[in-house]
Amino acid sequence: MKIKAVCVLTSLLLVLSMTLAGTMTFADDNAVPKGRLISQIDYRFVGHLEQLDDEGRLLVWEGSIEGDLTGKMKWWFVNPAPVSGRTYMGGKVNFYAARWEFWDGEELLLVGESAGKTVFPDGADGMWDGHGVVTEASGEFNALDGRKVYETGPVIVGSEPPVSFSGTGLFLIY
């Protein structure tokens, strides 16, 4: 009976040690600086400038980012949008697919793709919400390649819409 108990205990300890070793290895292989990166973004509409990239995407938003990431952001929208805007009783929803870029001075450090929507209730400010993934990372951010992204914030309607659209929101890489 003692031998059977020792064998069972030894087997359990072996399985437990293998499980912990595997978890530690996995965590080390996929380590992300600070686990997740959370930053505030302050953005403004620049689509009226009609600036296109080499892929024909329209530069729609530019902004600053501060927090775990600090620098400048750009969002280049696929044109036309993947789904046309829709009017509903009480407002309108617009959809987008975009390439986003994170710049530190003149250095492009992160690139990703995102898609989402902006909802504008009639006569009111809108709310933007998108999800995506990091597709390119360089330097100290290499470990972020392939990580998910969440971006959101209000779209404040200024005195000359859409030229005066702006807002402050959240940019999260996890």
Side-chain angles (χ1 to χ4, degrees), residues 6-28:
V6 169
C7 285
V8 170
L9 182 59
T10 302
S11 297
L12 286 172
L13 289 173
L14 178 62
V15 170
L16 181 60
S17 67
M18 288 172 32
T19 304
L20 291 176
T23 303
M24 285 185 256
T25 302
F26 181 77
D28 290 341

Side-chain angles (χ1 to χ4, degrees), residues 14-163:
L14 178 62
V15 170
L16 181 60
S17 67
M18 288 172 32
T19 304
L20 291 176
T23 303
M24 285 185 256
T25 302
F26 181 77
D28 290 341
D29 288 346
N30 292 310
V32 174
K34 299 183 185 176
R36 65 180 182 203
L37 303 177
I38 302 173
S39 299
Q40 175 179 306
I41 46 177
D42 295 301
Y43 41 91
R44 68 188 179 290
F45 180 81
V46 293
H48 62 286
L49 300 176
E50 298 182 12
Q51 184 179 348
L52 301 175
D53 69 4
D54 293 339
E55 306 276 326
R57 292 176 291 228
L58 177 66
L59 180 60
V60 174
W61 297 98
E62 282 186 330
S64 60
I65 184 167
E66 196 171 307
D68 290 332
L69 297 173
T70 299
K72 300 290 179 193
M73 295 285 298
K74 294 182 179 187
W75 286 266
W76 301 84
F77 280 36
V78 172
N79 193 10
V83 176
S84 59
R86 299 284 189 238
T87 301
Y88 61 92
M89 182 176 256
K92 182 173 180 155
V93 62
N94 293 310
F95 301 96
Y96 75 93
R99 168 190 165 106
W100 56 263
E101 300 171 343
F102 165 65
W103 293 80
D104 183 10
E106 298 297 314
E107 189 174 8
L108 179 58
L109 296 175
L110 292 170
V111 175
E113 295 177 354
S114 61
K117 67 185 176 308
T118 304
V119 177
F120 283 99
D122 287 338
D125 296 330
M127 191 64 180
W128 157 58
D129 191 56
H131 298 270
V133 65
V134 176
T135 58
E136 298 174 35
S138 62
E140 66 184 285
F141 299 109
N142 280 336
L144 297 175
D145 194 13
R147 293 295 178 161
K148 295 178 183 178
V149 172
Y150 177 61
E151 51 193 15
T152 188
V155 177
I156 308 301
V157 178
S159 60
E160 295 179 50
V163 175

